[in-house]
Every structure is written in structure tokens, then in C-alpha cells.
Amino acid sequence: MAHGVTTFVMLHWIKGCPDDSTQGEYNGLTLFEQIDAGVPWTATKKFLILVPTLLCLIACFTASYKPFYIVVNCGIMLICVIGKFPQMHRVRIFGINSTPGIDNAVEYSPDTVNGKQARKKRS
């Protein structure tokens, strides 16, 4: 449980880059979204999916497959693993952990040009 909570916070909750070398380019991304420049199914990302899965299996085995521990361990494992799927890249469920100004949906209408209100020509 401790591994699942710790890695979820470190990989999927905290956003940004620890240094200023990227000039804010990664401020809206979590650490897991930054790994391998967002390329899905790399060896690193597969390993990071495998670790919580194996820890869940080991924890269930050592708890003699008692139903309570299976539910708790598999629940934490699912939360950790689902966030690592490529379909979840830059997805903020219900807006949780979204960054204002970065994760906002851009809406375009025919009256806007480059995000600014277009001037109407007078006839």
C-alpha cells in the first residue's frame, strides 16, 4: 500500500520539472507523462506498469488471499496502473489535478482568430 500511494503521488500527481532548464515547457505534465517524451509502451513505462502488478500479486500471496487484502491491494494497483496507460496521457478525470491556464480546453468559434476576437468589417 505504501508503494502504491507514494508512487501515485510522485508519478501521477506532482506536476512540473524540478529544474529550470526546460523554461516551463513541462509545467503541465506529471513525471510519468514526461518519461520518454510521452512515447507510449517504451521499456521504461512497461517496467513501471509491471512493478505495481508484481507487488500486488506478492502482497495477495503473503496475505493468504484473504478477500479484504485482495480488494485493497488490487484497488490500489488498478489506480496506479490505469494512470499509466497511453489513453490516459494528459487526461484529468473530472478536472482533478488540472492546472488553470494549461489544461483548459481551447474553444474556437468562427468569430475568433488566433484566440482573439476578430474585428468585424464595417460596410
Side-chain angles (χ1 to χ4, degrees):
M1 286 179 30
H3 178 269
V5 171
T6 303
T7 57
F8 179 79
V9 170
M10 297 301 290
L11 292 177
H12 301 289
W13 194 261
I14 298 174
K15 291 182 178 181
C17 189
D19 61 359
D20 293 331
S21 65
T22 61
Q23 300 176 355
E25 185 177 345
Y26 297 114
N27 283 349
L29 298 176
T30 63
L31 179 61
F32 192 81
E33 292 168 339
Q34 295 176 31
I35 295 174
D36 296 332
V39 176
W41 300 119
T42 60
T44 305
K45 290 187 176 184
K46 288 177 185 178
F47 176 76
L48 290 173
I49 291 173
L50 181 67
V51 170
T53 306
L54 290 177
L55 286 175
C56 178
L57 291 173
I58 292 168
C60 288
F61 176 76
T62 57
S64 301
Y65 296 102
K66 293 180 181 169
F68 174 76
Y69 295 110
I70 289 175
V71 170
V72 170
N73 286 315
C74 290
I76 291 172
M77 187 262 312
L78 285 174
I79 290 170
C80 288
V81 170
I82 288 174
K84 291 177 175 59
F85 290 145
Q87 294 82 2
M88 299 300 290
H89 184 75
R90 295 193 67 125
V91 172
R92 308 291 182 249
I93 298 175
F94 302 121
I96 298 172
N97 197 25
S98 62
T99 306
I102 295 177
D103 293 327
N104 294 349
V106 178
E107 296 180 15
Y108 296 101
S109 69
D111 294 334
T112 60
V113 177
N114 295 330
K116 297 180 182 177
Q117 188 70 23
R119 293 183 183 176
K120 293 185 179 181
K121 295 181 182 179
R122 295 184 184 185
S123 47

